[in-house]
Amino acid sequence: MSRAQISALVFGVGGFGALVAATASNEWKVTTRASSVITATWVYQGLWMNCAGYIQACRGLMIAAVSLGFFGSIFALFGMKCTKVGGSDKAKAKIACLAGIVFILSGLCSMTGCSLYANKITTEFFDPLYVEQKYELGAALFIGWAGASLCIIGGVIFCFSISDNNKPPRMGYSYNGATSVLSSRTKYHGAEGDFKTTNPSKQFDKNAYV
């Protein structure tokens, strides 16, 4: 089981969950106290409470991010070494790399959508000619940025994890020091017959000592 793939799956799935929460949240922007007449009243707006043009673009980007994150999670499960589905190790490596690419695309879509929305808020906030209600950045934007970062990190780890599957297996070297004595004895006993025929001392008969 690859630790890199496990950490990548945690980042990717965690980022996907954050993207879902940010997309469904209505706290993309909140009224600022600087221009609010009643400071005790807070007004929140999300992607589904406004029909402005840039809102439509942000909706499309966040929906794409959530969809890509979902498919990235599915591909990641098939590409994990610890799962029995997905085929051989080479096939799993390709699926894991594909999951990484999908996660990266999901993070980029979320990062773009949140940044586009935040840019619109800050532009209106610092515009002195803008006389309508001004807003500040909501919590959902920071959740979206965090989820995008997790998806990108998880995707990069998945893409690099393909190198672990392509590494050749390490050759095992066994230590034969403990059996060297036994093997030498075996060789000695096995060659004892030859030793008797070649040893000059064994060729003398009893008359040699008289």
Side-chain angles (χ1 to χ4, degrees), residues 71-99:
F71 287 109
S73 301
I74 299 298
F75 292 147
L77 292 176
F78 281 97
M80 296 286 290
K81 291 182 179 180
C82 56
T83 57
K84 296 182 179 180
V85 294
S88 62
D89 291 340
K90 291 184 178 180
K92 283 181 174 291
K94 294 180 180 179
I95 296 174
C97 184
L98 177 62

Side-chain angles (χ1 to χ4, degrees), residues 88-167:
S88 62
D89 291 340
K90 291 184 178 180
K92 283 181 174 291
K94 294 180 180 179
I95 296 174
C97 184
L98 177 62
I101 295 173
V102 173
F103 272 130
I104 293 175
L105 292 176
S106 175
L108 292 177
C109 288
S110 176
M111 191 74 69
T112 305
C114 293
S115 300
L116 181 63
Y117 198 99
N119 179 68
K120 183 65 176 180
I121 295 174
T122 53
T123 301
E124 293 177 352
F125 184 85
F126 292 104
D127 187 4
L129 301 178
Y130 188 79
V131 295
E132 298 183 10
Q133 177 67 58
K134 293 186 178 181
Y135 293 88
E136 296 178 352
L137 302 181
L141 286 173
F142 298 99
I143 296 175
W145 281 323
S149 300
L150 291 177
C151 286
I152 293 174
I153 294 173
V156 171
I157 296 176
F158 263 122
C159 290
F160 280 103
S161 68
I162 191 175
S163 59
D164 296 336
N165 294 333
N166 293 332
K167 288 182 179 179

